[in-house]
C-alpha cells in the first residue's frame, strides 16, 4: 500500500485516484476511512469488496465544509428534506451549524443521486462533515461526496493510523493518505432524525446524547428502549453485537476479576490507569499491559486520552505473541475516576461489542 502525504501535490494525486473510480484510504478525526466517490456505484462496490463487508451494512457519506445546509444537500441529490417536517428541518440545520465539521453523522431522507448500494437500499442516508484538515482539503478539491466506512476488514478493529490501515487492508487497497494518528480515535456519533423530528442515537461517540438534547431541546432515544427489535435493526443496520473485535478472545470485567482468572493462559491487560497505579500482583498476572492513560492524564484529559488510544492498544495486544487472550478493565468499575462524557459511553459500547460472542 502506497503512502501519500498531504500538501498540494498529494491532495491532487488523491483526487485523481478517486475521480478515476478507485478507492483510497483517508484520515478523519475519528478513524481512517476507505473512501470512494459516493455518486459512483462501481467505486462503492469496490469498498464493499475490499472490506469483505456485507451489503446490508450502509456507508456514511462525507461532505466538504460549505455543504452544511439542507438546501445545498438537496440540490446535490444527497438528501431529500421535503420528506421532513418543519420541526425536523430546523433540528437538522441546528445540528449542522453546531457540530459540523465534526464527528456527528446525521441520518436523513436520501436524495436521488445516492446509489442503493451506499444506503443498503434504505430510504435514508448518513451524512457527515469531517473536521480533519486533510480530509477537508481533499473533499474541497474534489467537490464530490465520499462514501467511507472505517478502513478495516468487516467486524474488526477500526484503524487509527496509516500503519493500522495497511495491516488491515494491505494490498487490497492501493494507497492511503497519511494524516497522522486520529485525534478522537472512536467513530462518529450517529443520530437518526425522523420526519416527525423524533431523535434516536444509533451509535455513541464524542458528541454526547446530552449535548444533542441540550442543543435541540428534544429527548434523544436509544434504539433499544424506544423501538422494537425489528424496527431497531431497520434503523441501525450493521450495528451488530459482535464488532470492533480483536482476533483473540476478550473479557470485560473489574480489575479484581483478573486475579481469579485461569493463569495457564497468558493474559494481555487493557488498563485504564497507568501501570504505576496497578498492584505488583496484577502486573505479574498479565503478560503485557496496555494503559489507556498516563499519570499526567488523570484529569479532564482522561476520557479523550483513553478514547484516542483504545483501538491501537487493542490492536497491540491482539498482535503480541506473548498474549493469548485479552482482559479489558470495565470502565464502569473505575469509581469516581472522572466525570462521564460522550466518550465514556462510546468506549463502553466498543468494549462491549469487542467482548460479545462471535457469530
Ligand atoms: O467516524 C466515522 O463515522 C467513520 C469515519 C471513517 O467517518 N466511519 C464509520 O463508518 O465508522 P462505518 O461504516 O464503520 O460505520 C457506519 C455505520 C453503519 O454500520 C450503520 O450502522 C450506520 O453507520 N449507517 C450508515 N448509513 C445508515 C443509514 N442510512 N441508516 C442507519 N444507519 C446507517
Ligand atoms: Mg466500522
Amino acid at each position: 500500500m502506497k503512502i501519500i502525504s498531504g500538501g498540494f501535490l498529494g491532495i491532487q494525486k488523491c483526487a485523481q485516484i478517486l475521480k478515476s473510480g478507485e478507492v483510497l484510504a483517508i484520515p478523519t478525526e475519528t478513524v481512517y476511512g476507505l473512501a470512494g466517490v459516493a455518486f459512483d456505484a462501481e467505486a462503492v462496490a469496490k469498498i464493499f469488496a475490499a472490506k469483505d463487508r456485507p451489503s446490508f451494512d450502509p456507508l456514511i457519506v462525507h461532505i466538504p465544509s460549505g455543504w452544511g445546509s439542507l438546501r445545498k444537500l438537496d440540490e446535490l441529490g444527497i438528501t431529500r428534506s421535503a420528506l421532513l417536517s418543519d420541526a425536523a428541518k430546523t433540528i437538522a440545520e441546528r445540528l449542522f451549524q453546531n457540530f459540523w465539521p465534526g464527528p456527528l453523522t446525521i441520518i436523513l431522507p436520501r436524495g436521488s443521486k445516492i446509489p442503493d448500494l451506499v444506503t443498503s437500499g434504505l430510504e435514508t442516508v448518513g451524512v457527515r462533515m469531517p473536521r480533519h484538515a486533510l480530509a477537508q482539503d481533499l473533499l474541497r478539491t474534489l467537490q464530490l461526496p465520499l462514501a467511507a466506512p472505517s478502513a478495516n476488514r468487516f467486524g474488526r478493529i477500526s484503524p487509527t493510523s496509516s500503519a493500522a490501515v495497511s495491516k488491515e487492508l494491505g494490498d487490497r487497497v492501493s494507497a492511503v493518505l497519511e494524516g497522522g494518528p486520529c485525534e478522537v480515535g472512536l467513530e462518529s456519533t450517529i443520530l437518526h432524525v425522523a420526519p416527525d423530528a423524533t431523535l434516536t442515537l444509533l451509535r455513541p461517540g464524542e458528541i454526547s446524547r446530552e449535548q444533542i438534547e441540550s442543543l435541540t431541546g428534544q429527548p434523544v432515544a436509544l434504539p433499544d428502549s424506544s423501538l422494537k427489535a425489528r424496527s431497531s435493526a431497520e434503523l441501525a443496520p450493521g450495528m451488530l453485537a459482535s464488532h470492533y473485535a480483536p482476533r483473540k478472545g476478550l473479557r470485560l470485567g473489574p480489575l479484581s476479576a483478573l486475579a481469579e482468572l485461569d493463569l495457564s493462559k497468558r493474559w494481555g491487560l487493557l488498563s485504564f490507569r497507568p501501570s504505576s497505579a496497578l498492584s505488583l500482583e496484577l502486573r505479574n498476572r498479565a503478560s503485557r499491559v496496555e494503559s489507556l492513560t498516563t499519570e499526567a492524564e488523570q484529569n479532564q484529559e482522561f476520557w479523550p486520552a483513553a478514547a484516542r488510544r483504545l483501538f491501537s492498544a487493542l490492536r497491540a495486544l491482539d498482535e503480541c505473541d506473548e498474549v493469548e487472550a485479552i482482559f479489558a478493565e470495565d470502565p464502569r468499575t473505575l469509581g469516581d475516576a472522572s466525570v462521564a462524557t460522550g466518550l465514556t459511553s462510546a468506549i463502553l459500547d466498543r468494549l462491549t461489542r469487542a467482548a460479545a460472542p462471535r457469530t
Side-chain angles (χ1 to χ4, degrees):
M1 181 180 283
K2 209 165 83 193
I3 294 184
I4 301 177
S5 48
F8 181 77
L9 288 177
I11 295 294
Q12 294 297 322
K13 174 77 191 152
C14 289
Q16 190 194 328
I17 291 173
L18 290 162
K19 274 192 188 148
S20 75
E22 288 308 314
V23 299
L24 173 78
I26 62 163
T28 82
E29 72 278 25
T30 57
V31 301
Y32 276 73
L34 180 58
V37 171
F39 293 152
D40 179 348
E42 281 175 37
V44 173
K46 291 177 188 167
I47 298 175
F48 280 89
K51 279 188 56 119
D52 290 328
R53 183 174 174 115
S55 59
F56 63 74
D57 194 1
L59 307 183
I60 293 172
V61 173
H62 298 69
I63 58 167
S65 60
W67 290 14
S69 73
L70 287 172
R71 213 179 72 183
K72 180 74 183 171
L73 293 172
D74 284 353
E75 214 174 83
L76 291 161
I78 296 173
T79 58
R80 193 163 159 224
S81 68
L83 297 178
L84 295 175
S85 63
D86 287 345
K89 282 186 208 163
T90 306
I91 285 177
E93 300 277 9
R94 273 230 169 127
L95 293 166
F96 297 170
Q97 279 153 25
N98 278 273
F99 296 122
W100 280 0
L104 177 67
T105 298
I106 307 177
I107 310 289
L108 295 165
R110 153 206 185 179
S112 59
K113 296 253 324 243
I114 298 294
D116 273 337
L117 195 53
V118 170
T119 70
S120 303
L122 294 175
E123 285 312 314
T124 53
V125 60
V127 187
R128 148 160 153 76
M129 184 190 284
R131 71 169 177 234
H132 192 288
L134 289 186
Q136 276 303 332
D137 281 352
L138 179 58
L139 284 160
R140 277 194 299 260
T141 300
L142 269 174
Q143 289 298 305
L144 285 167
L146 290 176
S150 50
N152 49 279
R153 306 266 186 110
F154 182 68
R156 301 232 333 112
I157 305 169
S158 301
T160 52
S161 66
S162 59
V165 173
S166 167
K167 279 182 186 140
E168 279 291 321
L169 298 175
D171 49 17
R172 291 171 167 228
V173 173
S174 62
V176 55
L177 173 59
E178 175 61 66
C182 298
E183 170 205 342
V184 178
L186 294 180
E187 303 85 348
S188 61
T189 304
I190 304 182
L191 182 74
H192 183 271
V193 178
D196 68 357
T198 306
L199 304 181
T200 311
L201 189 78
L202 301 184
R203 181 172 71 186
E206 183 190 73
I207 294 170
S208 70
R209 191 179 168 201
E210 292 72 24
Q211 275 176 288
I212 297 168
E213 288 181 334
S214 90
L215 175 78
T216 61
Q218 280 270 109
V220 174
L222 299 174
D224 297 339
S225 61
S226 67
L227 301 154
K228 293 197 194 76
R230 201 180 125 263
S231 54
S232 151
E234 277 163 12
L235 265 190
M239 293 304 285
L240 304 180
S242 168
H243 211 124
Y244 315 109
R247 291 177 210 277
K248 293 169 188 166
L250 183 142
R251 300 238 333 222
L252 186 62
L255 275 187
S256 58
L258 184 60
E260 282 132 46
L261 288 178
D262 174 10
L263 271 192
S264 61
K265 226 181 208 169
R266 284 170 302 167
W267 291 91
L269 171 61
L270 185 79
S271 157
F272 277 83
R273 309 270 191 195
S275 281
S276 57
L278 303 177
S279 69
L280 193 61
E281 197 215 333
L282 269 179
R283 270 185 278 165
N284 286 340
R285 287 197 148 244
S287 305
R288 172 161 173 172
V289 180
E290 282 288 325
S291 291
L292 296 180
T293 63
T294 64
E295 279 171 50
E297 290 163 345
Q298 307 305 302
N299 49 29
Q300 71 278 9
E301 274 302 301
F302 187 85
W303 294 109
R308 200 160 50 236
R309 291 195 191 102
L310 181 71
F311 286 150
S312 61
L314 276 176
R315 200 173 276 285
L317 292 173
D318 208 20
E319 284 165 7
C320 174
D321 291 337
E322 273 79 70
V323 168
E324 288 172 294
I326 301 169
F327 185 89
E329 181 176 20
D330 188 327
R332 288 167 296 192
T333 62
L334 284 167
D336 59 354
S338 14
V339 184
T341 67
L343 290 171
T344 317
S345 48
I347 289 171
L348 180 62
D349 170 73
R350 306 309 190 271
L351 281 176
T352 307
R353 289 179 206 276
R358 315 290 163 78
T359 41

